[in-house]
Amino acid sequence: MAEKIKEECEKRLLPVRDALDILSGKWKLPIIVALFFGNKRFKELEREVKGITGKMLSKELKDLETNQLVKRTVLDTSPVAVEYSLTKYGKSLEKLITELYKWGEKHRKMIIGK
Amino acid sequence: MAEKIKEECEKRLLPVRDALDILSGKWKLPIIVALFFGNKRFKELEREVKGITGKMLSKELKDLETNQLVKRTVLDTSPVAVEYSLTKYGKSLEKLITELYKWGEKHRKMIIGK
DNA sequence: CAGTATCCCTCGGGATACTG
DNA sequence: CAGTATCCCGAGGGATACTG
């Protein structure tokens, strides 16, 4: 029956690893959080996601687009404007992000409270 | 008022970054998930967290101990046995992990369903 | 068993300059 | 504005051998 537990454990680990793969890296979740506050242009994101470089932002947005979490829309203005928004699928991360936020806040308080 | 949104966004980002810092890397969450299935010895963890090396496991466990998510207990058997368990604080990650699991599962289904 | 010590190498990610 | 192209560095992490 130790075997049973081990199998259960491994089954449980798989989806967690899958999620981690998609959301890995320093910037993906912060970008997504920013987009929860509304659609944004490239430069806006660059300003609001503190510390990110243009190159990283560009690369991460591509990854997120590939995984269908983010949608890229080119507006036919002049000069060109590009708008990034969360897809419905991207928005399905809301609960996860809320939990991440809540836990991070708790942790912060604990550290400061020391 | 665009200012307001921007500030809100930045405030929201901080705790998320904090949480990400603690939980960063390839192995921390998988180790924690494994420990949710019960206290485990070093070798058990090494077997159950597929792909991890001894060195990484050792290092990550130390980090988790430092951040008070995991407790290390030396049992006075011979040869020595060491048991790792989640602290109450570590267990407070349960909801977050559940969301991660649920989302990962959904994502997996979507990919396969294509 | 429960680790530590070394060596090594990939790759995530930063800085800077440039383009349509 | 919305990116690309280069160059470069250090940390994260793997393989292997060794220790109390």
Side-chain angles (χ1 to χ4, degrees):
Chain A
M1 57 225 117
E3 261 316 296
K4 276 270 168 68
I5 291 178
K6 202 180 150 194
E7 275 171 39
E8 261 311 297
C9 176
E10 275 161 23
K11 273 182 71 172
R12 190 101 188 158
L13 272 172
L14 270 171
V16 173
R17 295 298 295 274
D18 288 342
L20 254 31
D21 281 350
I22 306 295
L23 304 173
S24 69
K26 196 173 170 181
W27 300 111
K28 290 197 187 69
L29 280 166
I31 292 170
I32 291 169
V33 171
L35 288 176
F36 263 109
F37 282 84
N39 303 354
K40 299 218 155 66
R41 311 253 297 273
F42 191 88
K43 265 296 175 210
E44 288 182 281
L45 279 171
E46 199 173 347
R47 270 191 299 267
E48 290 184 22
V49 181
K50 286 267 168 70
I52 197 169
T53 61
K55 174 188 152 189
M56 273 302 112
L57 182 54
S58 168
K59 193 210 136 211
E60 298 293 65
L61 283 170
K62 251 178 218 160
D63 287 356
L64 293 172
E65 218 192 322
T66 301
N67 286 312
Q68 305 184 49
L69 300 177
V70 161
K71 191 183 169 206
R72 181 178 183 271
T73 311
V74 181
L75 309 173
D76 59 345
T77 53
S78 151
V80 267
V82 178
E83 189 179 78
Y84 289 93
S85 56
L86 290 176
T87 61
K88 200 181 161 194
Y89 191 47
K91 283 178 187 161
S92 76
L93 283 166
E94 182 158 22
K95 274 192 174 178
L96 172 51
I97 288 177
T98 302
E99 288 306 325
L100 205 58
Y101 174 82
K102 286 201 286 191
W103 194 85
E105 207 181 16
K106 230 179 68 183
H107 181 76
R108 194 182 192 82
K109 275 178 190 156
M110 197 195 86
I111 297 296
I112 295 170
K114 264 190 201 167
Chain B
M1 58 227 118
E3 261 317 296
K4 276 270 169 67
I5 290 179
K6 203 181 152 194
E7 275 171 40
E8 261 310 299
C9 176
E10 275 160 24
K11 273 183 71 173
R12 190 102 189 155
L13 272 172
L14 269 171
V16 172
R17 294 297 292 274
D18 288 343
L20 253 31
D21 282 349
I22 306 295
L23 305 172
S24 68
K26 197 172 169 181
W27 301 110
K28 290 197 186 71
L29 280 165
I31 291 171
I32 291 168
V33 171
L35 287 176
F36 263 109
F37 282 83
N39 303 354
K40 299 218 154 66
R41 310 253 297 275
F42 191 89
K43 265 295 175 211
E44 289 182 280
L45 279 171
E46 199 174 346
R47 270 190 300 268
E48 292 183 21
V49 181
K50 287 267 167 70
I52 197 167
T53 60
K55 174 187 153 190
M56 274 301 110
L57 181 55
S58 168
K59 193 211 136 209
E60 298 293 65
L61 283 170
K62 252 178 218 159
D63 287 356
L64 293 172
E65 218 191 323
T66 302
N67 286 312
Q68 306 184 49
L69 300 177
V70 161
K71 191 181 169 208
R72 180 179 183 272
T73 311
V74 181
L75 310 173
D76 59 344
T77 53
S78 151
V80 267
V82 179
E83 188 179 79
Y84 289 94
S85 55
L86 290 177
T87 61
K88 200 182 162 195
Y89 191 47
K91 282 178 187 160
S92 75
L93 282 166
E94 182 158 22
K95 275 192 174 177
L96 171 52
I97 287 177
T98 302
E99 288 304 324
L100 205 58
Y101 173 81
K102 286 200 288 191
W103 194 86
E105 207 181 17
K106 231 178 68 182
H107 181 77
R108 195 181 192 82
K109 275 178 189 153
M110 196 195 87
I111 297 297
I112 295 170
K114 263 190 201 169

